[in-house]
Amino acid sequence: MSSMSDRFGIAKSELLDPTSSDAAVKQAHAETHVIQEAKDYFSAHGVNLDAFNEKDRGDTALLVKNLPYELKPEGLRTLFSAYGTISKMLVPPSGTIAIIEFDHACHARSAFKELAYTKIKGSILFLEKAPRNLFAGGTPRLNEMVAKVPATDLKNKGGEQAAGDSSTLFVRNLNFSTTTARLRETFERIEGLLSAKVKTKPDPQKPGHFLSMGFGFLEFRTKQQAQAALSAMDGYDLDGHRLQVKVSQKLINAAEERRKEDQVKRSSGKRTKIIIKNLPFEVSKKDVRSLFGPYGQLRSVRVPKRFNMSTRGFAFAEFVTPREAENAMSALRDTHLLGRRLVLEFATEEATDPEKEIANMQKKVGNQADKVALQRLTGTGRQKFNPGEVDELSG
């Protein structure tokens, strides 16, 4: 909570205010931003996010959770390096989670044994073994980093393959005011630039606006041109910030992003409506709209209710375009609201509309009630059958 409060400029009392009608939504937005920021950070540093879905665990890397906000990366490195040599340590900007990899499995085991559930600055550390293929295809270890090659040497060698295996560069430590246009303008002087993009996320405080995440990506025509840009621009001062440029191992480059966007545009209207399950019963239609609104223009929001007007624990949010629905789905699939983890799915055209179904049921019950009332007034309708009366009439 301290991390969210400091990063978003919101007082903790405002985030935790039980009398505030939108405190839960603010917390959900903050959590969503922190989770997505951590995912983007890990992905940009060569972490295979899909590996977290696998059960197989490795023996050299640890996932450290519930880090106290006051514990800085330097202190974290000092804490864990006491048990062995650290080959890689990744700490996202939020500072609440980290991945630490040791050179040897025995060092990781020692750190796990001694530090798991240890209380540090008021927080209890939660440690678990990281997936075995966590860094498959990822960035090289600290002791395997390739020395820089002057840009002039790369240009002279021409046909030789440059160090690194990607034509995409990862640029970090960007000023939050630096735009995509400004980044492109700065790197256009380097031959072979195809695209430049500053990574952004929706502003939870201003629907429809976006915030820079402090890093971006550059795509070049060849690996040699990318390496030349790295050698020439690493450490370059842009808008008061010294750039940190490295070869990106991110599998989704600018071309892949464009391909995905085109694919989403071609998708049908079925992908514009999201079913929100496991929704707290206290959540209102306004809360759902406030939670999903920052990710695009909403066509409609519906929160089905029972006969007694209590909510049914799920809702629908329909966006104008498939891309907006995809953004919301990607950002909010791991979000908690009032302690419940939201379960999101795309609605299909064949899915039953709960509101229509309820309306039909109410109409049917109403018709039956009217019919029973009419029978009572007229004395018609079903009557009890008595065999004795039949015998008397026939006699």
Side-chain angles (χ1 to χ4, degrees):
M1 196 60 66
S2 298
S3 175
M4 296 179 184
S5 174
D6 184 59
R7 291 178 60 76
F8 301 117
I10 303 175
K12 284 194 286 186
S13 59
E14 187 177 350
L15 283 173
L16 298 172
D17 185 6
T19 63
S20 175
S21 60
D22 59 349
V25 175
K26 287 180 180 178
Q27 291 178 36
H29 275 308
E31 180 196 25
T32 300
H33 184 88
V34 169
I35 291 174
Q36 191 60 44
E37 185 180 56
K39 286 182 177 180
D40 289 335
Y41 177 88
F42 285 143
S43 179
H45 286 76
V47 174
N48 177 20
L49 297 180
D50 292 333
F52 286 99
N53 298 323
E54 302 174 1
K55 295 182 179 180
D56 191 20
R57 297 285 148 169
D59 53 7
T60 59
L62 299 176
L63 191 61
V64 187
K65 301 179 181 179
N66 200 39
L67 289 171
Y69 182 60
E70 296 79 10
L71 182 62
K72 302 305 178 185
E74 297 78 13
L76 183 65
R77 178 177 290 277
T78 300
L79 180 65
F80 277 81
S81 61
Y83 301 95
T85 303
I86 296 176
S87 60
K88 184 182 297 183
M89 187 179 81
L90 300 177
V91 184
S94 63
T96 57
I97 190 173
I99 294 175
I100 298 178
E101 185 179 35
F102 289 89
D103 270 347
H104 302 287
C106 60
H107 297 161
R109 286 195 297 269
S110 297
F112 185 93
K113 181 180 179 180
E114 297 296 329
L115 296 177
Y117 303 109
T118 300
K119 192 172 183 179
I120 304 293
K121 296 184 180 294
S123 296
I124 296 178
L125 296 186
F126 297 130
L127 274 63
E128 64 179 75
K129 292 183 178 180
R132 184 171 299 278
N133 298 320
L134 187 65
F135 295 107
T139 53
R141 298 188 177 202
L142 295 179
N143 54 2
E144 297 173 353
M145 296 297 284
V146 181
K148 293 182 183 178
V149 180
T152 52
D153 291 350
L154 288 169
K155 291 180 180 179
N156 293 336
K157 292 182 180 180
E160 292 186 18
Q161 183 171 343
D165 57 355
S166 174
S167 60
T168 302
L169 299 180
F170 171 57
V171 186
R172 60 184 299 185
N173 199 36
L174 288 173
N175 191 312
F176 289 111
S177 65
T178 301
T179 63
T180 293
R182 173 69 170 147
L183 183 64
R184 167 176 279 278
E185 177 187 351
T186 302
F187 279 82
E188 274 181 340
R189 68 191 72 176
I190 307 296
E191 183 181 359
L193 180 67
L194 296 178
S195 67
K197 184 176 182 180
V198 174
K199 192 70 175 178
T200 59
K201 298 302 297 180
D203 187 345
Q205 301 300 316
K206 297 180 181 179
H209 291 73
F210 293 86
L211 296 171
S212 168
M213 297 184 67
F215 64 88
F217 295 92
L218 301 162
E219 185 186 11
F220 288 84
R221 186 172 290 106
T222 67
K223 298 173 185 177
Q224 289 81 3
Q225 291 168 335
Q227 189 65 31
L230 186 154
S231 300
M233 301 298 289
D234 186 26
Y236 179 83
D237 188 284
L238 177 61
D239 297 333
H241 282 221
R242 191 172 296 278
L243 301 184
Q244 298 176 21
V245 186
K246 61 176 62 178
V247 175
S248 172
Q249 302 297 328
K250 188 175 177 68
L251 298 179
I252 303 177
N253 54 22
E256 182 69 10
E257 286 285 350
R258 290 195 297 269
R259 185 190 68 78
K260 282 197 169 186
E261 289 180 1
D262 293 340
Q263 184 178 1
V264 170
K265 290 178 182 178
R266 290 194 297 269
S267 63
S268 64
K270 297 178 184 179
R271 306 284 285 185
T272 61
K273 184 186 294 184
I274 296 175
I275 304 177
I276 308 138
K277 300 180 181 179
N278 200 35
L279 195 69
F281 296 110
E282 301 86 351
V283 172
S284 66
K285 186 175 181 178
K286 177 185 175 183
D287 294 331
V288 176
R289 184 174 290 277
S290 297
L291 182 61
F292 283 80
Y295 300 96
Q297 185 176 353
L298 288 165
R299 189 190 304 275
S300 66
V301 172
R302 295 180 294 149
V303 182
K305 297 183 179 181
R306 302 179 187 275
F307 294 115
N308 61 1
M309 301 308 293
S310 64
T311 60
R312 295 169 59 90
F314 63 90
F316 291 89
E318 184 175 8
F319 288 88
V320 174
T321 67
R323 185 61 184 175
E324 292 170 335
E326 290 279 355
N327 290 338
M329 175 70 79
S330 175
L332 297 172
R333 67 169 68 249
D334 295 314
T335 297
H336 291 76
L337 187 61
L338 289 176
R340 286 195 176 192
R341 181 179 178 275
L342 300 182
V343 179
L344 307 182
E345 296 177 3
F346 281 110
T348 60
E349 198 171 67
E350 293 78 12
T352 302
D353 189 331
E355 288 189 346
K356 289 183 179 180
E357 182 180 356
I358 292 172
N360 291 335
M361 291 173 63
Q362 289 175 332
K363 183 178 179 180
K364 183 177 180 180
V365 171
N367 290 338
Q368 290 176 345
D370 292 341
K371 186 176 180 180
V372 171
L374 180 63
Q375 289 172 352
R376 288 176 177 174
L377 289 173
T378 60
T380 60
R382 293 182 179 180
Q383 297 182 359
K384 185 175 180 180
F385 176 71
N386 189 343
E389 294 180 0
V390 177
D391 293 339
E392 291 178 1
L393 290 173
S394 61

